[in-house]
Amino acid sequence: MLKNSPIISASPEIMGGTPVFTGTRVPAQTLLDYLKAGESIDDFLDGFPTVTREQVIALLEEAGKQVIGTAA
């Protein structure tokens, strides 16, 4: 699970407990919304400079592992 990891954290004191990129106030859902709308990772990073490319890639890699792991 990604919540409360080096990638994603959730705390009632930050955005009411919404899962955010660790060390930021940027909800992880925002990245997914950008990608769903056809925007690029670069577009997302331009809009949210507190999130690093490494965090985005790590989130996508972990999500991919969880999807593939559940499909097997």
Side-chain angles (χ1 to χ4, degrees):
M1 188 74 169
L2 291 172
K3 198 182 285 188
N4 295 318
S5 75
I7 304 165
I8 300 295
S9 61
S11 168
E13 294 83 34
I14 300 172
M15 302 290 291
T18 298
V20 298
F21 285 95
T22 299
T24 78
R25 297 178 61 83
V26 179
Q29 182 65 46
T30 304
L31 170 64
L32 301 177
D33 292 343
Y34 261 66
L35 296 175
K36 188 165 62 172
E39 302 291 334
S40 70
I41 291 172
D42 288 331
D43 292 332
F44 173 79
L45 294 172
D46 287 345
F48 300 95
T50 58
V51 179
T52 67
R53 179 173 298 279
E54 290 76 20
Q55 286 175 301
V56 169
I57 299 303
L59 173 65
L60 295 174
E61 286 177 347
E62 187 60 34
K65 287 178 192 174
Q66 289 186 21
V67 168
I68 292 168
T70 60

